[in-house]
């Protein structure tokens, strides 16, 4: 198939794009959207500009296809005036938006094609997984025994690498709806033209809308962003997911009856205090109130729709006497609402009750006494309607719609999403030092700190300085939790996550502070799960010792018993990879899960792992279902809690049908890993020894360059756009920390930044104090992908030399853990471009000659080793769709990258003072992130 053409293009093709027959309609959508983008550029900027875009695009394609130097294209772009450079970036980024949407809609089309062809269930979906499990001998009893503890919980964070404005999200939704309406080309020509005009309107309005707000978002703004996915997508998808699951169970096992809530949703927005002074007691209270208001309003909309459906008249059908009694009760409780009931609806009991329920929800939102006490009371009314319909021939007269609302209410309650709380352990230490009037507390040994905590844990919360200023904000958080629990319910709060957990004292400090603040239930127990977060490679290796100490502590063990003997443990993928490289990180995570799973069995505790993944491979990104299957046997145990952040949220949950597909795939993987994990593999003991050796080699190579080589931090800052990323206005964290001049945003990346161990520590320069998000983001922006492969090639080459290629190839073929690792690295290699990275590297002046050759050699070494182990002659030989997607995007990413290099040079030459250049650079960051994907 030929390369797509835009208006004004020459008709000849520079390359052939091999769209298979199944992707013919994808090609048509891409071509149609590309033509629209061209028309919009001509209209909004000018035909000469469109011609220039086309000339640059063709030059980029020619460079790619011929494998020639990037210098000529770079020289042409370097001459572009600032205004034109910014417009060029936006033009190519608009194309990415179009292609991204076309590909997402094509995923919906492929699912429909499976269903229409009746060729069996789509691989990875619930029907396919349950059919496979049934064929492998899984019984209905096994499946139904698992359901009560099956839990899939995506947790949305505010960590930014992409934050699409809600105004632009809504325009994307309009484009998707128009594409889906004509997904199989069933529209009339007139209907199709109308759909194209709606797409044109959304694209044009998007072109006229700034990609980022002029001010940094507040925590409330971040909530609005996450709320879009919760209320506009997942709220609607949830009952469909349950229906698909129930149908799959019915098909392959037996009728399941009513399914328990299987999905839960969490959020860090408003509760993640780690490093963000804008988050605290006030934002926790405000976020809980906003979530409650949002879900109550959604229920009222649902009740209004049910009211138009459930119009059954008493003259035609009976209803349950209890339902009529409920109406009489509500008329007495809600006299004003009863007075507003329309007389002509008097013979419609369901409609009448629904109107009174809506009034009660309104009272709930306002905190009035006639409101519902909790979601359980609201559900009781819904159950009453459902049961009455069922008992009076209403199964097909509205019961289905009522069940959908019940499904939502059982999952979302009156809280919408569980709010996690997170804080650095050093902040707790500082608060305790103030309360105990012991300034040396943070530096005391673990045993000394535990001894100081004992009286507080024993229920004697008297402290030397209860009003200490340094503890006020921390205690206010726990008091807010205590105040909120009666109003919002136990499900409103997720775990209290302790960053930089390194000892049992770090977890016990949370219980001690909660007791000082009076955050205890009626039985005197702290009503929160405490989740240690193990982040670095060394912390992961020490996790077993820390948990063993915790489980041996009588205070903590009593707390755990009150929480159902379930321990949440958060695993940090980002910092461990930044600390030791990807091989050491992945192996430490695997080894930690193995050790903690065994420890939990020994201690009689259930471990629930919480995976702190990001979007990029270096931060644990990749296909979730593959990661679940590759996890150690027994570690999944029916649950998956995982962070979703940055561009991943948008990609996985921006469109309802794709959100449904992702939830199906994730749940299917958890079912398989729990019910039929991989059988014991006798070769795995040997493989673990080999990978442990590979991890040591890779870590030594990685740390030797990143942490032990002088001037590498300077090279990093010069050869990446880290100084632009520091200034992005996409997160609520302040651009500067109090008392310090260096930029220190959410990304903590200034030349002089604060120690992660707390606000009272000294400053220190270097990469160690840089957060993982900007570290990875910067290396993806410059097209190197360094964080995902440096050290891997050296380790693989040494492994092949020591153990033989056949042994490592066998591991890549037969061990899901190793296969997933190599697949993830291969994907980053395929998206990287050394020629373009070299342009960034030259920005480092003399340091380029010192560092670039080594990086290029390691890149080639990694690529060659992976190809050898896979027996392939090109990257992604076994993933045609991804290979095609990258090929489609490269001619549009490359010019943006080259423009970013030139604009970086100009901006730095100006002393980083030119705001116009900075704004243009922001546009390049957004454009490259959209084109590369998996960036943060």
């Amino acid at each position: 198939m030929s390369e797509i053409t835009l208006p004004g293009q020459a008709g000849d093709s520079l390359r052939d794009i091999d769209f298979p027959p199944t992707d013919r309609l994808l090609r048509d959508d891409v071509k149609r959207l590309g033509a629209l983008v061209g028309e919009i550029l001509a209209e909004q900027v000018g035909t000469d500009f469109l011609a220039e875009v086309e000339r640059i695009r063709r030059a980029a394609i020619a460079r790619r296809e011929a494998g020639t130097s990037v210098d000529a294209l770079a020289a042409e772009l370097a001459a572009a005036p600032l205004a034109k450079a910014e417009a060029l970036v936006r033009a190519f980024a608009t194309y990415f938006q179009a292609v991204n949407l076309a590909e997402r809609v094509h995923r919906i089309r492929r699912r429909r094609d499976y269903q229409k062809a009746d060729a069996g269930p789509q691989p990875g979906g619930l029907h396919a997984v349950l059919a496979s499990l049934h064929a492998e001998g899984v019984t209905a009893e096994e499946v139904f025994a698992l359901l009560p503890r099956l839990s899939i919980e995506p947790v949305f964070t505010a960590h930014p690498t992409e934050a699409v404005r809600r105004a632009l999200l809504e325009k994307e939704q309009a484009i998707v709806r128009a594409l889906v309406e004509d997904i199989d080309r069933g529209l009339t020509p007139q209907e199709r033209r109308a759909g194209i005009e709606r797409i044109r309107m959304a694209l044009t309005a998007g072109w006229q809308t700034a990609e980022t707000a002029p001010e940094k978002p507040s925590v409330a703004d971040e909530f609005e962003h996450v709320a879009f996915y919760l209320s506009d997508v997942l709220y609607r998808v949830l009952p469909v997911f349950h229906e698909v699951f129930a149908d799959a169970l019915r098909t392959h096992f037996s009728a399941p009856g009513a399914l328990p809530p299987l999905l839960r949703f969490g959020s860090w927005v408003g509760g993640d205090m780690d490093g963000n002074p804008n988050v605290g007691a006030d934002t926790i209270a405000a976020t809980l109130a906003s979530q409650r208001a949002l879900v109550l309003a959604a229920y009222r909309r649902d009740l209004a729709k049910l009211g138009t459906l459930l119009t059954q008249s008493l003259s035609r059908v009976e209803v349950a006497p209890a339902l009529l009694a409920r109406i009489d009760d509500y008329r007495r409780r809600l006299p004003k609402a009863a007075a507003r009931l329309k007389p002509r609806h008097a013979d419609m009991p369901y409609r009448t009750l629904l109107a009174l329920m809506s009034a009660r929800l309104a009272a709930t939102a306002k905190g009035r006494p006639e409101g519902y006490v909790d979601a359980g009371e609201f559900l009781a009314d819904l159950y009453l309607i459902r049961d009455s319909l069922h008992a009076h021939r209403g199964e097909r007269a509205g019961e289905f719609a009522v069940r959908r609302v019940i499904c939502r209410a059982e999952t979302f309650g009156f809280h919408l999403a569980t709010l996690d709380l997170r804080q650095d352990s050093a902040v707790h230490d500082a608060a305790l030092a103030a309360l105990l009037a012991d300034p040396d507390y943070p530096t005391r040994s673990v045993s000394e700190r535990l001894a100081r905590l004992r009286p507080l844990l024993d229920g004697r919360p008297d402290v030397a300085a209860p009003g200490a200023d340094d503890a006020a904000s921390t205690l206010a958080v726990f008091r807010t939790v205590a105040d909120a629990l009666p109003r919002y319910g136990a499900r409103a709060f997720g775990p209290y996550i302790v960053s930089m957990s390194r000892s049992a004292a770090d977890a016990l400090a949370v219980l001690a502070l909660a007791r000082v603040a009076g955050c205890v239930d009626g039985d005197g127990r702290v009503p929160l799960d405490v989740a240690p977060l193990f982040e670095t490679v060394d912390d992961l290796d020490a996790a077993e010792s820390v948990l063993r100490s915790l489980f041996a502590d009588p205070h903590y063990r009593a707390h755990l018993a009150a929480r159902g003997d379930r321990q949440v443990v958060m695993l940090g993928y980002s910092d461990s990879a930044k600390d030791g490289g990807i091989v050491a990180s992945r192996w430490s995570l695997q080894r930690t899960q193995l050790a903690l799973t065994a420890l939990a069995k020994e201690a009689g505790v259930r471990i629930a792992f919480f995976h702190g993944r990001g979007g990029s491979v270096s931060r644990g990104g990749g296909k979730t279902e593959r990661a679940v299957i590759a996890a150690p046997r027994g570690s999944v145990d029916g649950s998956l809690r995982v962070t979703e952040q940055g561009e991943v949220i948008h990609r996985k949950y921006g469109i309802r049908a794709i959100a449904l597909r992702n939830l199906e795939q994730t749940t299917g993987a958890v079912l398989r890993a729990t019910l039929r994990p991989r059988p014991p593999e006798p070769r795995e003991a040997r493989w673990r020894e080999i990978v442990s050796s590979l991890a040591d080699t890779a870590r030594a190579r990685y740390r030797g360059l990143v942490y032990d080589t002088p001037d590498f931090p300077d090279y990093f800052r010069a050869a990446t756009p880290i100084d632009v990323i520091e200034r992005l206005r996409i997160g609520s964290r302040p651009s500067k920390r109090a008392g310090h001049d260096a930029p220190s945003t959410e990304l903590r990346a200034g030349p002089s930044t604060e120690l992660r161990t707390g606000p009272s520590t000294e400053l220190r320069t270097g990469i160690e104090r840089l957060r993982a998000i900007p570290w990875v983001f910067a290396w993806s922006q410059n097209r190197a992908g360094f964080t995902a492969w440096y050290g891997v090639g050296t380790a693989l080459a040494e492994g092949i030399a020591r153990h033989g290629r056949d042994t490592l190839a066998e591991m890549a073929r037969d061990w899901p853990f190793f296969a997933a690792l190599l697949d993830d690295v291969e994907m980053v290699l395929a998206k990287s471009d050394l020629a373009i990275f070299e342009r960034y590297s030259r920005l480092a002046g003399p340091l380029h000659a010192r560092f670039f050759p080594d990086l290029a050699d390691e890149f080639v070494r990694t690529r060659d080793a992976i190809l050898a182990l896979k027996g392939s002659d090109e990257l992604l030989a076994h993933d045609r769709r991804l290979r095609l997607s990258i090929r489609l995007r490269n001619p549009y990413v490359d010019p943006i990258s080259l423009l970013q290099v030139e604009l970086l040079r100009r901006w730095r030459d100006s002393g980083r003072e030119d705001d116009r250049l900075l704004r243009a650079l922001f546009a390049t960051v957004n454009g490259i992130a959209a084109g590369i994907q998996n960036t943060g």
Side-chain angles (χ1 to χ4, degrees), residues 584-605:
S585 168
R586 293 284 181 93
W587 179 235
S588 291
L589 288 159
Q590 188 84 352
R591 188 167 52 195
T592 298
Q593 290 175 79
L594 282 164
L596 296 187
T597 299
L599 174 61
K601 185 176 181 180
E602 173 190 329
V605 171

PDB file of all heavy atoms in Angstrom, residues 584-605:
ATOM      1  N   ALA A 584      19.039  -5.115  36.635  1.00  0.00           N
ATOM      2  CA  ALA A 584      19.103  -5.234  38.094  1.00  0.00           C
ATOM      3  C   ALA A 584      17.763  -4.920  38.733  1.00  0.00           C
ATOM      4  O   ALA A 584      17.347  -5.576  39.700  1.00  0.00           O
ATOM      5  CB  ALA A 584      20.182  -4.305  38.646  1.00  0.00           C
ATOM      6  N   SER A 585      17.065  -3.920  38.195  1.00  0.00           N
ATOM      7  CA  SER A 585      15.754  -3.558  38.731  1.00  0.00           C
ATOM      8  C   SER A 585      14.756  -4.691  38.559  1.00  0.00           C
ATOM      9  O   SER A 585      14.102  -5.116  39.523  1.00  0.00           O
ATOM     10  CB  SER A 585      15.243  -2.297  38.032  1.00  0.00           C
ATOM     11  OG  SER A 585      13.882  -2.071  38.326  1.00  0.00           O
ATOM     12  N   ARG A 586      14.641  -5.190  37.347  1.00  0.00           N
ATOM     13  CA  ARG A 586      13.650  -6.251  37.101  1.00  0.00           C
ATOM     14  C   ARG A 586      13.965  -7.495  37.926  1.00  0.00           C
ATOM     15  O   ARG A 586      13.053  -8.147  38.455  1.00  0.00           O
ATOM     16  CB  ARG A 586      13.622  -6.589  35.607  1.00  0.00           C
ATOM     17  CG  ARG A 586      13.102  -5.488  34.705  1.00  0.00           C
ATOM     18  CD  ARG A 586      11.601  -5.356  34.779  1.00  0.00           C
ATOM     19  NE  ARG A 586      11.105  -4.309  33.898  1.00  0.00           N
ATOM     20  CZ  ARG A 586      10.679  -4.499  32.649  1.00  0.00           C
ATOM     21  NH1 ARG A 586      10.686  -5.724  32.137  1.00  0.00           N
ATOM     22  NH2 ARG A 586      10.241  -3.489  31.923  1.00  0.00           N
ATOM     23  N   TRP A 587      15.248  -7.821  38.036  1.00  0.00           N
ATOM     24  CA  TRP A 587      15.579  -9.021  38.792  1.00  0.00           C
ATOM     25  C   TRP A 587      15.344  -8.811  40.289  1.00  0.00           C
ATOM     26  O   TRP A 587      14.847  -9.701  40.974  1.00  0.00           O
ATOM     27  CB  TRP A 587      17.009  -9.448  38.536  1.00  0.00           C
ATOM     28  CG  TRP A 587      17.399 -10.661  39.316  1.00  0.00           C
ATOM     29  CD1 TRP A 587      18.445 -10.802  40.168  1.00  0.00           C
ATOM     30  CD2 TRP A 587      16.718 -11.927  39.336  1.00  0.00           C
ATOM     31  NE1 TRP A 587      18.468 -12.062  40.726  1.00  0.00           N
ATOM     32  CE2 TRP A 587      17.414 -12.778  40.227  1.00  0.00           C
ATOM     33  CE3 TRP A 587      15.582 -12.420  38.695  1.00  0.00           C
ATOM     34  CZ2 TRP A 587      17.013 -14.087  40.486  1.00  0.00           C
ATOM     35  CZ3 TRP A 587      15.179 -13.723  38.963  1.00  0.00           C
ATOM     36  CH2 TRP A 587      15.889 -14.545  39.847  1.00  0.00           C
ATOM     37  N   SER A 588      15.663  -7.631  40.802  1.00  0.00           N
ATOM     38  CA  SER A 588      15.401  -7.362  42.223  1.00  0.00           C
ATOM     39  C   SER A 588      13.909  -7.409  42.514  1.00  0.00           C
ATOM     40  O   SER A 588      13.492  -7.928  43.555  1.00  0.00           O
ATOM     41  CB  SER A 588      15.970  -5.994  42.600  1.00  0.00           C
ATOM     42  OG  SER A 588      17.378  -6.008  42.568  1.00  0.00           O
ATOM     43  N   LEU A 589      13.104  -6.875  41.629  1.00  0.00           N
ATOM     44  CA  LEU A 589      11.652  -6.920  41.809  1.00  0.00           C
ATOM     45  C   LEU A 589      11.144  -8.359  41.801  1.00  0.00           C
ATOM     46  O   LEU A 589      10.307  -8.750  42.629  1.00  0.00           O
ATOM     47  CB  LEU A 589      10.971  -6.105  40.710  1.00  0.00           C
ATOM     48  CG  LEU A 589      11.133  -4.585  40.829  1.00  0.00           C
ATOM     49  CD1 LEU A 589      10.901  -3.912  39.479  1.00  0.00           C
ATOM     50  CD2 LEU A 589      10.159  -4.030  41.863  1.00  0.00           C
ATOM     51  N   GLN A 590      11.655  -9.158  40.882  1.00  0.00           N
ATOM     52  CA  GLN A 590      11.246 -10.561  40.803  1.00  0.00           C
ATOM     53  C   GLN A 590      11.678 -11.313  42.057  1.00  0.00           C
ATOM     54  O   GLN A 590      10.896 -12.054  42.661  1.00  0.00           O
ATOM     55  CB  GLN A 590      11.876 -11.200  39.555  1.00  0.00           C
ATOM     56  CG  GLN A 590      11.391 -12.610  39.244  1.00  0.00           C
ATOM     57  CD  GLN A 590      10.094 -12.622  38.462  1.00  0.00           C
ATOM     58  OE1 GLN A 590       9.461 -11.597  38.273  1.00  0.00           O
ATOM     59  NE2 GLN A 590       9.703 -13.797  37.977  1.00  0.00           N
ATOM     60  N   ARG A 591      12.923 -11.098  42.462  1.00  0.00           N
ATOM     61  CA  ARG A 591      13.460 -11.802  43.619  1.00  0.00           C
ATOM     62  C   ARG A 591      12.735 -11.388  44.901  1.00  0.00           C
ATOM     63  O   ARG A 591      12.462 -12.222  45.779  1.00  0.00           O
ATOM     64  CB  ARG A 591      14.956 -11.496  43.724  1.00  0.00           C
ATOM     65  CG  ARG A 591      15.706 -12.301  44.751  1.00  0.00           C
ATOM     66  CD  ARG A 591      17.200 -12.141  44.546  1.00  0.00           C
ATOM     67  NE  ARG A 591      17.589 -10.728  44.488  1.00  0.00           N
ATOM     68  CZ  ARG A 591      18.777 -10.320  44.038  1.00  0.00           C
ATOM     69  NH1 ARG A 591      19.656 -11.191  43.610  1.00  0.00           N
ATOM     70  NH2 ARG A 591      19.062  -9.032  44.043  1.00  0.00           N
ATOM     71  N   THR A 592      12.393 -10.104  45.003  1.00  0.00           N
ATOM     72  CA  THR A 592      11.667  -9.625  46.181  1.00  0.00           C
ATOM     73  C   THR A 592      10.284 -10.248  46.260  1.00  0.00           C
ATOM     74  O   THR A 592       9.825 -10.650  47.345  1.00  0.00           O
ATOM     75  CB  THR A 592      11.568  -8.093  46.146  1.00  0.00           C
ATOM     76  OG1 THR A 592      12.883  -7.546  46.194  1.00  0.00           O
ATOM     77  CG2 THR A 592      10.752  -7.568  47.314  1.00  0.00           C
ATOM     78  N   GLN A 593       9.604 -10.350  45.144  1.00  0.00           N
ATOM     79  CA  GLN A 593       8.279 -10.972  45.157  1.00  0.00           C
ATOM     80  C   GLN A 593       8.365 -12.449  45.537  1.00  0.00           C
ATOM     81  O   GLN A 593       7.515 -12.967  46.267  1.00  0.00           O
ATOM     82  CB  GLN A 593       7.617 -10.808  43.786  1.00  0.00           C
ATOM     83  CG  GLN A 593       7.218  -9.364  43.485  1.00  0.00           C
ATOM     84  CD  GLN A 593       6.679  -9.204  42.080  1.00  0.00           C
ATOM     85  OE1 GLN A 593       5.524  -9.524  41.786  1.00  0.00           O
ATOM     86  NE2 GLN A 593       7.518  -8.703  41.188  1.00  0.00           N
ATOM     87  N   LEU A 594       9.394 -13.115  45.055  1.00  0.00           N
ATOM     88  CA  LEU A 594       9.594 -14.510  45.449  1.00  0.00           C
ATOM     89  C   LEU A 594       9.789 -14.625  46.958  1.00  0.00           C
ATOM     90  O   LEU A 594       9.154 -15.452  47.627  1.00  0.00           O
ATOM     91  CB  LEU A 594      10.825 -15.081  44.731  1.00  0.00           C
ATOM     92  CG  LEU A 594      10.661 -15.479  43.264  1.00  0.00           C
ATOM     93  CD1 LEU A 594      12.029 -15.634  42.608  1.00  0.00           C
ATOM     94  CD2 LEU A 594       9.877 -16.782  43.158  1.00  0.00           C
ATOM     95  N   ALA A 595      10.649 -13.778  47.500  1.00  0.00           N
ATOM     96  CA  ALA A 595      10.978 -13.858  48.926  1.00  0.00           C
ATOM     97  C   ALA A 595       9.777 -13.492  49.792  1.00  0.00           C
ATOM     98  O   ALA A 595       9.496 -14.164  50.799  1.00  0.00           O
ATOM     99  CB  ALA A 595      12.154 -12.942  49.234  1.00  0.00           C
ATOM    100  N   LEU A 596       9.066 -12.432  49.432  1.00  0.00           N
ATOM    101  CA  LEU A 596       7.939 -11.991  50.259  1.00  0.00           C
ATOM    102  C   LEU A 596       6.755 -12.939  50.153  1.00  0.00           C
ATOM    103  O   LEU A 596       5.992 -13.100  51.115  1.00  0.00           O
ATOM    104  CB  LEU A 596       7.531 -10.567  49.873  1.00  0.00           C
ATOM    105  CG  LEU A 596       8.576  -9.475  50.133  1.00  0.00           C
ATOM    106  CD1 LEU A 596       7.988  -8.092  49.880  1.00  0.00           C
ATOM    107  CD2 LEU A 596       9.135  -9.568  51.544  1.00  0.00           C
ATOM    108  N   THR A 597       6.575 -13.566  48.991  1.00  0.00           N
ATOM    109  CA  THR A 597       5.507 -14.560  48.858  1.00  0.00           C
ATOM    110  C   THR A 597       5.769 -15.735  49.790  1.00  0.00           C
ATOM    111  O   THR A 597       4.859 -16.240  50.474  1.00  0.00           O
ATOM    112  CB  THR A 597       5.398 -15.035  47.399  1.00  0.00           C
ATOM    113  OG1 THR A 597       5.079 -13.918  46.553  1.00  0.00           O
ATOM    114  CG2 THR A 597       4.320 -16.096  47.245  1.00  0.00           C
ATOM    115  N   ALA A 598       7.029 -16.181  49.849  1.00  0.00           N
ATOM    116  CA  ALA A 598       7.383 -17.274  50.764  1.00  0.00           C
ATOM    117  C   ALA A 598       7.249 -16.838  52.216  1.00  0.00           C
ATOM    118  O   ALA A 598       6.752 -17.597  53.063  1.00  0.00           O
ATOM    119  CB  ALA A 598       8.809 -17.734  50.472  1.00  0.00           C
ATOM    120  N   LEU A 599       7.663 -15.607  52.521  1.00  0.00           N
ATOM    121  CA  LEU A 599       7.554 -15.107  53.893  1.00  0.00           C
ATOM    122  C   LEU A 599       6.096 -15.013  54.334  1.00  0.00           C
ATOM    123  O   LEU A 599       5.754 -15.350  55.476  1.00  0.00           O
ATOM    124  CB  LEU A 599       8.219 -13.730  53.997  1.00  0.00           C
ATOM    125  CG  LEU A 599       8.062 -12.998  55.331  1.00  0.00           C
ATOM    126  CD1 LEU A 599       8.686 -13.801  56.467  1.00  0.00           C
ATOM    127  CD2 LEU A 599       8.680 -11.600  55.256  1.00  0.00           C
ATOM    128  N   ALA A 600       5.227 -14.563  53.442  1.00  0.00           N
ATOM    129  CA  ALA A 600       3.811 -14.435  53.777  1.00  0.00           C
ATOM    130  C   ALA A 600       3.213 -15.794  54.132  1.00  0.00           C
ATOM    131  O   ALA A 600       2.449 -15.929  55.095  1.00  0.00           O
ATOM    132  CB  ALA A 600       3.057 -13.803  52.613  1.00  0.00           C
ATOM    133  N   LYS A 601       3.581 -16.792  53.356  1.00  0.00           N
ATOM    134  CA  LYS A 601       3.081 -18.145  53.631  1.00  0.00           C
ATOM    135  C   LYS A 601       3.566 -18.622  54.990  1.00  0.00           C
ATOM    136  O   LYS A 601       2.811 -19.205  55.780  1.00  0.00           O
ATOM    137  CB  LYS A 601       3.542 -19.090  52.528  1.00  0.00           C
ATOM    138  CG  LYS A 601       2.979 -20.496  52.650  1.00  0.00           C
ATOM    139  CD  LYS A 601       3.402 -21.351  51.467  1.00  0.00           C
ATOM    140  CE  LYS A 601       2.815 -22.758  51.579  1.00  0.00           C
ATOM    141  NZ  LYS A 601       3.232 -23.609  50.422  1.00  0.00           N
ATOM    142  N   GLU A 602       4.811 -18.343  55.277  1.00  0.00           N
ATOM    143  CA  GLU A 602       5.391 -18.745  56.566  1.00  0.00           C
ATOM    144  C   GLU A 602       4.722 -18.029  57.728  1.00  0.00           C
ATOM    145  O   GLU A 602       4.482 -18.620  58.784  1.00  0.00           O
ATOM    146  CB  GLU A 602       6.892 -18.419  56.535  1.00  0.00           C
ATOM    147  CG  GLU A 602       7.624 -18.601  57.836  1.00  0.00           C
ATOM    148  CD  GLU A 602       9.028 -18.019  57.769  1.00  0.00           C
ATOM    149  OE1 GLU A 602       9.634 -18.012  56.675  1.00  0.00           O
ATOM    150  OE2 GLU A 602       9.535 -17.562  58.820  1.00  0.00           O
ATOM    151  N   ALA A 603       4.385 -16.742  57.533  1.00  0.00           N
ATOM    152  CA  ALA A 603       3.838 -15.931  58.619  1.00  0.00           C
ATOM    153  C   ALA A 603       2.319 -15.988  58.714  1.00  0.00           C
ATOM    154  O   ALA A 603       1.737 -15.396  59.632  1.00  0.00           O
ATOM    155  CB  ALA A 603       4.286 -14.476  58.444  1.00  0.00           C
ATOM    156  N   GLY A 604       1.677 -16.650  57.771  1.00  0.00           N
ATOM    157  CA  GLY A 604       0.216 -16.705  57.788  1.00  0.00           C
ATOM    158  C   GLY A 604      -0.426 -15.389  57.408  1.00  0.00           C
ATOM    159  O   GLY A 604      -1.506 -15.038  57.896  1.00  0.00           O
ATOM    160  N   VAL A 605       0.237 -14.651  56.532  1.00  0.00           N
ATOM    161  CA  VAL A 605      -0.234 -13.345  56.094  1.00  0.00           C
ATOM    162  C   VAL A 605      -0.418 -13.382  54.579  1.00  0.00           C
ATOM    163  O   VAL A 605       0.326 -14.075  53.871  1.00  0.00           O
ATOM    164  CB  VAL A 605       0.796 -12.245  56.469  1.00  0.00           C
ATOM    165  CG1 VAL A 605       0.437 -10.914  55.843  1.00  0.00           C
ATOM    166  CG2 VAL A 605       0.887 -12.119  57.983  1.00  0.00           C
TER     167      VAL A 605
END
